[in-house]
Amino acid sequence: MPPRLGPVTPEAYRAFLATRSTGPHGPSFLQLPAWAQVKEGWSHQLLGWGPASGELTGVALVLLRPFPGTRKYFAYLPEGPVADWADPHIDGWLDPLLKHLRASGAFAVRIGPGPDYRRWTAATLKAHTGPGRRLGDVLASEVDPLGSAVAERLRARGWRKCGGDSQDGADAQPRHVYQVPLTGRSADDLWNGLNQEWRRNIRKARKSGVEVVVGSAADLPEFHRLLRITEERDGFRLGRSLAYYERQYAVLNAEEPGRMKLYLARHEGEILAAHTMVTVGRRVWYQTGASADHRREVRPSNALQWRMMLDAHALGADVYDLRGVPSTLDPDDRAHGLLRWKLGTGGQVVETLGEWETPMPGTTNHTLYRAFQAYLARR
């Protein structure tokens, strides 16, 4: 008998997430009910499924973006759904989910399956850094058999991996993330896991009088000012307004106090760096970082990250996730600087399964999907 699938209340949804929020593979903050309120221009659905009589066995936050001039939607499940990916019969819940979304007007669906694919330790990647090298050129320290199985199951059902086999993909969320395992480690273990440069920089920040504090919503304008400076310096553009971060801070903390925190590094009374942190269950993420162009020699960002890592450890988190890293191992590639910085924390690069898409059946849906892909390619 197929599982029942349909809308669930935010309360029931959050109660289910609480049962899954242990271990390093708990639900992402992008699948929280509150995340729907962060995203402007999208409607949403909170869905759940399970046996006709019994508890939920899976949930999904579905974001719906209208296709201009139609009553059709692009359905996006960021780093979701929160489901039993180990179930070899995923059609039991995946087919009802797709049927429901098609009935809701979706012309295509994009998902972010939960299992990891491959992992590389910091030591392995440092040893293989070199001209022209990329992550895919290095034998992984570990391959997750579940991730490989899920990828094959999706391919067999006609799903397409965004960006294909491109190492950086074409995903909305990072395909490669950097994680520091915390389970079973003491604060001394974490310190010893840092490389010499990181330890030296943290000591330099202390000696220089850098003070790390947890800020408030009132400090978000200064965070956003520093973020614009960082974007200009490092050559990227997130394109997010101050209002976006104010909304994110408000709705995440309304859902659970302390879920999103803003950490500030001050030196001689001036805020030199500001980083955001998000906590869900026993997973903690460093989300966005910003820093000034001047007085970088006092190493405010290293001081911030060390404090955030210690706070995540004190919370009982299983993993501290520094989010996205590029796939380049070429030291002459500008993007490699971010990976090099994160490698110093002694964690590991994790390749997720990335994001996968499928159009809904029907000529109109396939036409809209091709138009949507062409639009994304022009961006």
Side-chain angles (χ1 to χ4, degrees):
M1 184 176 181
R4 60 179 176 85
L5 183 147
V8 295
T9 65
E11 293 76 19
Y13 189 107
R14 283 192 288 267
F16 174 78
L17 290 187
T19 68
R20 293 294 188 94
S21 295
T22 58
H25 298 102
S28 166
F29 64 92
L30 300 175
Q31 280 291 296
L32 294 172
W35 193 252
Q37 301 173 53
V38 176
K39 305 298 291 180
E40 285 192 321
W42 299 72
S43 58
H44 76 280
Q45 294 182 2
L46 291 180
L47 302 177
W49 57 88
S53 59
E55 300 295 326
L56 292 173
T57 58
V59 296
L61 166 63
V62 183
L63 301 176
L64 298 165
R65 188 78 180 234
F67 193 98
T70 75
R71 295 183 179 181
K72 293 285 191 174
Y73 299 89
F74 175 68
Y76 179 38
L77 288 68
E79 296 185 4
V82 183
D84 181 10
W85 291 102
D87 182 356
H89 305 294
I90 61 173
D91 294 328
W93 56 265
L94 189 55
D95 284 352
L97 176 62
L98 293 178
K99 182 178 179 180
H100 172 89
L101 293 177
R102 185 185 184 191
S104 297
F107 67 86
V109 180
R110 178 184 289 193
I111 61 175
D116 298 330
Y117 178 37
R118 294 184 291 183
R119 302 179 186 90
W120 295 264
T121 65
T124 296
L125 295 181
K126 288 175 186 176
H128 289 85
T129 297
R133 290 203 167 183
R134 302 182 74 82
L135 281 170
D137 301 326
V138 180
L139 185 66
S141 307
E142 184 180 354
V143 177
D144 190 326
L146 177 58
S148 301
V150 169
E152 289 307 311
R153 290 167 190 163
L154 290 173
R155 285 193 187 94
R157 289 158 176 80
W159 289 79
R160 184 185 69 87
K161 192 172 186 177
C162 298
D165 292 326
S166 165
Q167 290 202 33
D168 288 314
D171 311 312
Q173 306 305 324
R175 181 173 294 186
H176 299 98
V177 298
Y178 199 85
Q179 296 180 348
V180 179
L182 303 180
T183 304
R185 303 176 72 191
S186 67
D188 286 342
D189 292 334
L190 296 180
W191 176 258
N192 292 330
L194 303 175
N195 68 12
Q196 290 184 354
E197 182 181 4
W198 264 79
R199 293 197 294 267
R200 182 170 59 248
N201 288 343
I202 293 168
R203 291 189 184 106
K204 177 67 179 293
R206 289 172 181 163
K207 187 175 180 180
S208 301
V210 173
E211 177 192 17
V212 177
V213 298
V214 178
S216 68
D219 299 300
L220 286 170
E222 181 63 10
F223 159 75
H224 192 257
R225 185 187 72 82
L226 291 173
L227 182 59
R228 297 295 298 273
I229 292 172
T230 304
E231 291 175 338
E232 181 71 23
R233 180 180 68 240
D234 294 345
F236 69 93
R237 185 78 173 93
L238 293 176
R240 292 170 182 156
S241 66
L242 171 60
Y244 173 90
Y245 290 102
E246 290 176 329
R247 184 168 61 253
Q248 183 186 111
Y249 189 90
V251 300
L252 291 184
N253 288 320
E255 185 173 68
E256 182 174 306
R259 170 151 280 163
M260 179 176 177
K261 293 179 180 177
L262 175 63
Y263 284 76
L264 311 171
R266 292 197 185 104
H267 183 252
E268 297 179 352
E270 181 183 2
I271 298 174
L272 294 182
H275 295 178
T276 59
M277 187 172 95
V278 179
T279 301
V280 180
R282 291 168 66 174
R283 292 184 69 184
V284 172
W285 292 262
Y286 155 51
Q287 189 189 17
T288 306
S291 60
D293 282 340
H294 61 288
R295 275 190 265 171
R296 295 169 64 81
E297 71 279 0
V298 300
R299 305 300 181 184
S301 293
N302 293 95
L304 274 179
Q305 283 300 312
W306 178 237
R307 166 69 185 276
M308 292 164 68
M309 198 182 302
L310 287 178
D311 284 0
H313 181 266
L315 287 170
D318 292 307
V319 65
Y320 181 65
D321 192 320
L322 287 89
R323 294 293 281 171
V325 291
S327 65
T328 178
L329 298 177
D330 188 336
D332 293 327
D333 191 325
R334 183 177 183 180
H336 182 260
L338 177 63
L339 174 59
R340 180 181 177 276
W341 189 72
K342 294 182 180 182
L343 285 174
T345 63
Q348 58 187 2
V349 171
V350 177
E351 181 179 5
T352 71
L353 282 184
E355 296 184 334
W356 296 69
E357 287 181 350
T358 189
M360 295 287 98
T363 302
T364 299
N365 290 329
H366 278 257
T367 300
L368 290 176
Y369 180 57
R370 288 193 295 271
F372 180 72
Q373 287 182 303
Y375 163 74
L376 291 180
R378 292 194 302 269
R379 291 179 63 182

